[in-house]
Amino acid sequence: MKANRVKYALTGAFLALLAGCSSKPTDRGQQYIDGKLDQPLGLVNQPNAKGRPVNGRDFGDQVRQIQSASSGLYGRNTGTYSAIENWLMSGGDTRQLRQFGLNAYQMEGTDNYGNVQFTGYYTPVVEARYTRQGEFQYPIYRMPPRRSGQKLPSRASIYSGGLDDRYVIAYSNSLIDNFMMDVQGSGYVDFGDGRPLRFFGYGGKNGWAYHSIGKELIDRGEVKREDMSMQAIRQWAQTHSPEEVRALLETNQSFVFFKPEEYVPVRGASAVPLIAKASVASDRSLIPAGTALLAEVPQLNEKGKFNGKYEMRLMVALDVGGAIKGQHFDIYQGVGPDAAHLAGFYNHYGRVWVLKAAPGAGQPLFSTAQSGNNGSLLLGSN
């Protein structure tokens, strides 16, 4: 079942806030070895990168999920997927892509030096109960009916009881957990009764403008700009009163509603089950659904800092996000706290190449059916 996700991508909202101060920063994995690039996607003979993809098996699993869930998406990209799998079976050497009929198009990045932004998202698991009891006092709501031309209540109003209890679908034991599921757009709920986890898919939003609570904490001087992450927000919440946490969350008047479903795989906007670290959310006006990507992803240490090393990964664009625009990908990290840990830290940069089975002369990289207005875009070489 499709889990429609209009995700706010909390980490993605920090783009302007977390950029370095120097003209060519390197603290978040930025590098400048390819010179200045002058187009969004440029054909290169071979990527200027060393190493082989570390996740060939996961990429294969993701392709099989596409084949099973979306015959149309698979059909439009089957030539590329097959060529990549043949390339992987022969060693996955980036110098040999052309020998397997693959073209590599380098992305120019957010700074025209090839530094593409990476953030991360995950699927949380929230503890909850069907009725209000003990520590389980924080309602999770389904979408109420919306009257034409009228906004639904704001977050502050909802927290004050502005919605009828008949729209409550669960009570959690943590307002900040509710908010994090709100940010991710979906999550699993554990009702503590031994039954399988329930999936709470995206059910809609109240229509109020989104405001970053990370930006709010930075502007207040309570968290340093360079230290901002989802972990930093959680740590702040743990050291402040419930009233202070609620007041912070109410600065973001936007609110997400959910719809309970049976336990299902996490699916992106393409209705394809997502494989952790082998799928990304993209801006579809630039990178259509089903596009295969070769990415040089910066590695982080246990504190979320770039350790100076990269790893090559193959990923597929299968999701979207409200904050994912242009030269920016949100990497799906998986389910639960370990995935949350990684997703909370990622706001880094790496190089990315779009891989595509070599088309005939004069043919566009993407068809009109794939990329709408950009379908006729012809990309040159560099």
Side-chain angles (χ1 to χ4, degrees), residues 64-87:
R64 282 181 280 279
Q65 292 288 356
I66 296 170
Q67 184 177 17
S68 176
S70 177
S71 58
L73 194 63
Y74 181 76
R76 290 193 294 272
N77 296 279
T78 184
T80 297
Y81 298 154
S82 295
I84 291 173
E85 292 190 323
N86 289 336
W87 170 65

Side-chain angles (χ1 to χ4, degrees), residues 15-209:
L15 170 60
L17 294 170
L18 300 180
C21 297
S22 66
S23 59
K24 288 188 178 181
T26 59
D27 61 313
R28 292 184 177 270
Q30 303 94 326
Q31 50 190 324
Y32 306 91
I33 60 179
D34 296 318
K36 195 165 185 178
L37 307 177
D38 59 5
Q39 53 188 327
L41 294 161
L43 179 63
V44 294
N45 289 327
Q46 65 185 41
N48 177 25
K50 297 180 180 179
R52 294 172 172 81
V54 300
N55 68 330
R57 179 175 296 179
D58 287 343
F59 175 79
D61 289 344
Q62 186 65 84
V63 168
R64 282 181 280 279
Q65 292 288 356
I66 296 170
Q67 184 177 17
S68 176
S70 177
S71 58
L73 194 63
Y74 181 76
R76 290 193 294 272
N77 296 279
T78 184
T80 297
Y81 298 154
S82 295
I84 291 173
E85 292 190 323
N86 289 336
W87 170 65
L88 286 172
M89 287 189 290
S90 297
D93 188 335
T94 55
R95 296 169 297 182
Q96 298 177 347
L97 284 166
R98 287 294 294 128
Q99 297 178 28
F100 291 86
L102 287 164
N103 280 339
Y105 297 81
Q106 185 169 7
M107 298 186 67
E108 69 178 346
T110 61
D111 58 358
N112 302 110
Y113 282 93
N115 292 305
V116 177
Q117 186 192 13
F118 292 126
T119 49
Y121 70 105
Y122 72 107
T123 306
V125 177
V126 174
E127 299 288 330
R129 297 293 182 266
Y130 293 104
T131 59
R132 180 176 266 134
Q133 55 185 274
E135 63 180 340
F136 296 92
Q137 296 292 318
Y138 302 102
I140 302 172
Y141 294 92
R142 65 180 172 90
M143 184 79 174
R146 185 199 298 267
R147 293 182 179 178
S148 178
Q150 290 187 353
K151 283 185 176 180
L152 292 170
S154 67
R155 180 180 297 274
S157 177
I158 292 171
Y159 283 173
S160 296
L163 284 178
D164 193 289
D165 283 353
R166 68 178 181 271
Y167 301 119
V168 176
I169 51 178
Y171 292 90
S172 87
N173 59 357
S174 170
L175 192 62
I176 197 72
D177 281 355
N178 286 8
F179 184 83
M180 291 301 182
M181 186 166 69
D182 183 311
V183 168
Q184 300 303 318
S186 64
Y188 288 113
V189 174
D190 183 355
F191 282 103
D193 55 5
R195 298 179 184 177
L197 302 181
R198 293 293 303 276
F199 185 72
F200 276 27
Y202 173 81
K205 57 183 177 179
N206 64 348
W208 290 72

